[in-house]
Each structure stands twice: as structure tokens, then as C-alpha cells.
Amino acid sequence: MPEGHTLFRLARDQSLAFAGRPVHVTSPQGRFAAGAALLDGRVLDEVTSYGKHLFACFGPDTLHVHLGLYGKYTAGSGHPPPPRGALRMRWEGEGPDGLGVWTDLRGATACEVLTAPEVDRILDRLGPDPLRPRADGTVAHRRIAASRTAIGALLMDQSVLAGVGNVYRAEILFRHGVSPFRPGREVDAGTWAAMWTDLVVLLRSGVRMGRIVTTRPEHRGRRGGAVRREDAHYVYRRTGLPCRLCGTPVRTELMVARNLHWCPVCQAV
């Protein structure tokens, strides 16, 4: 499932391509036909993200998209290709240079037109997003500190913290030496403040790079040049491989229906 930095980039790119101009909205598949008809031809104000949600503002109405596990956007310039398969929604516009732009959406969990109160109800159930200006990490810690649930599960709860998924969960816990099995109420305010600050840095880096890189240069096999895929993470998808710090094999266990990766020595309970 795409994590917060991916949605932030999507919102930015869609705003640059379509905002301030009329958008031709269709639903070749037909599942979003009524919503497409409502938005078709209207001027897009902006697209924003919050956590793993996209909100495209068309005047009083907002298009809400949640990609879920299988949702995906593709985009291009000029004339779009002929629609194929389960194409939920297509946008077409003039683009900033007048030569034409398009974007297609497939497989999303949610693709719906909402009113302002309905948007507010979604936002009200989400925790703070580290990518949002002036987001308050202490709000998340109040939920964490009051819970006996493992911190590894709490970090995947979007009502606690918005935008963090399986990769950032594993990597932020490793970077701060926190066991994923530690109860939330045993994560003190100082530890959480450091984790929150680090998350802000890592997610912003993800926006800038278009990928998640969490390792420090001294912990990579090659320090110079672009970061290789095998050097990008400390524990995520490194099951059985030696920990980059202590050499202990990285372990994996299912937690909240996703594979959790951790080092049993560096992240001892």
C-alpha cells in the first residue's frame, strides 16, 4: 500500500498538471459514472493529501481517493491511450503548456465525491500526518501512551498516525531501537518526540527522492552515488539477512495482517 510520501507527491503532481483549469472527468469502467458526470468540465482548485488519502477540490465538492492495496495512478501528456480494462476514472486537461495531460485511476479502495462535512468526518478520524505543516506529534503520543497495544500495531493505525505504513513502521522502530512488541504506554514522551522528528525527516526525504531510503551512509554497502535498492532499508524485507548494526539475522512476524521486520538484538523488548 502506498505510504504518505507517495500520496503527497501525487497531490503535488496533479495540482501542477490540472489545477486552475477545467478537467474532463470520465469513468470508462462505469463504476464512477455518476461522480464523473458531476465533476466533468469543472475547474480543479487543488489536490491535497492527508496521510493515505487524496482530496481533489472542485468548488463545493471534493473527490476523495484512497488507493488501498491495489489502487494505482498512471499519467502522461498529449492524448491518452484508448481505455482498457477496469479503468475507474480518467482525467484529461490542457495542462500548463496547453499540449494536454491525462491521468488514470485503477483499483482504488475509495473513489467518491464528498461534501465538506463528509471530508471533515474523514479527517477527524485520522491522526496527525508528519508531512502536514504544523502537525502535532504529541496528539499521536497521547493515544500511544494510553494504550497497551504494541507500538508496532499502533503505528499502522491511521487514527493514531496518518501516512505511516509497513516500511516506515519497521524502519522508524529500528532506527530508535524500539521493540515493535513494546506496549504503547511504555514508549515515553522523549522517545516518541525523537521518533516523530525522524519521521518528519524521512517522509520529506521520501517526497524529495520518490522512494523510501532510511539507512545512513555509513551503514550501506556503497557510500557514494545513488542508494542501491539492497542498501535502502535496515530491516524491511531483509528476513534472515544480518542486521546492519549487530549481524543478528533479521526476523519477520505477522502483525496487523502485515509482515513486520525487526532485529531481536537491536530492538530487544
Side-chain angles (χ1 to χ4, degrees):
M1 180 185 294
E3 304 197 27
H5 72 288
T6 299
L7 278 298
F8 189 96
R9 286 172 61 92
L10 276 171
R12 181 192 63 188
D13 293 348
Q14 290 182 357
S15 285
L16 288 172
F18 293 97
R21 293 173 290 275
V23 181
H24 179 37
V25 185
T26 57
S27 178
Q29 178 194 55
R31 286 186 58 185
F32 184 61
L38 181 63
L39 300 178
D40 185 33
R42 291 166 64 174
V43 173
L44 172 69
D45 297 322
E46 64 174 341
V47 184
T48 60
S49 69
Y50 195 108
K52 299 182 180 184
H53 299 258
L54 279 178
F55 300 96
C57 182
F58 290 85
D61 295 312
T62 298
L63 171 68
H64 167 236
V65 172
H66 189 284
L67 294 177
L69 285 172
Y70 305 108
K72 182 179 181 180
Y73 274 103
T74 54
S77 57
H79 294 292
R84 293 181 180 177
L87 179 50
R88 181 82 58 87
M89 180 179 67
R90 168 171 282 180
W91 285 8
E92 297 175 67
E94 293 183 354
D97 57 8
L99 298 179
V101 289
W102 57 271
T103 187
D104 289 347
L105 173 67
R106 302 173 185 272
T109 297
C111 178
E112 56 190 352
V113 179
L114 303 179
T115 62
E118 291 171 323
V119 171
D120 288 341
R121 282 196 286 273
I122 292 175
L123 296 175
D124 287 345
R125 66 175 187 247
L126 296 174
D129 177 352
L131 283 173
R132 300 287 294 186
R134 298 177 296 279
D136 186 358
T138 62
V139 173
H141 188 252
R142 285 198 290 270
R143 294 285 303 274
I144 291 169
S147 178
R148 298 181 180 181
T149 301
I151 184 64
L154 291 170
L155 289 179
M156 296 288 280
D157 185 343
Q158 298 298 295
S159 69
V160 174
L161 186 65
V164 169
N166 206 24
V167 184
Y168 284 116
R169 164 179 73 166
E171 295 296 297
I172 198 67
L173 289 171
F174 179 87
R175 283 170 63 98
H176 293 268
V178 176
S179 167
F181 306 100
R182 184 186 299 182
R185 64 182 184 177
E186 295 180 14
V187 177
D188 62 78
T191 299
W192 174 252
M195 291 173 64
W196 170 265
T197 300
D198 204 15
L199 278 170
V200 172
V201 172
L202 290 176
L203 276 128
R204 287 178 178 174
S205 174
V207 171
R208 185 176 65 255
M209 299 176 68
R211 58 186 294 218
I212 301 176
V213 175
T214 59
T215 51
R216 298 177 174 89
E218 62 268 26
H219 298 146
R220 299 170 191 156
R222 185 180 67 188
R223 297 192 182 187
V227 179
R228 298 177 299 180
R229 182 176 181 180
E230 59 266 31
D231 287 337
H233 306 134
Y234 282 107
V235 290
Y236 180 71
R237 287 190 173 177
R238 298 193 70 245
T239 306
L241 295 176
C243 171
R244 298 186 188 277
L245 271 61
C246 74
T248 303
V250 173
R251 295 183 60 183
T252 299
E253 182 174 312
L254 204 64
M255 180 181 281
V256 290
R258 302 297 298 278
N259 283 326
L260 167 74
H261 305 82
W262 85 102
C263 172
V265 173
C266 294
Q267 297 170 264
V269 176

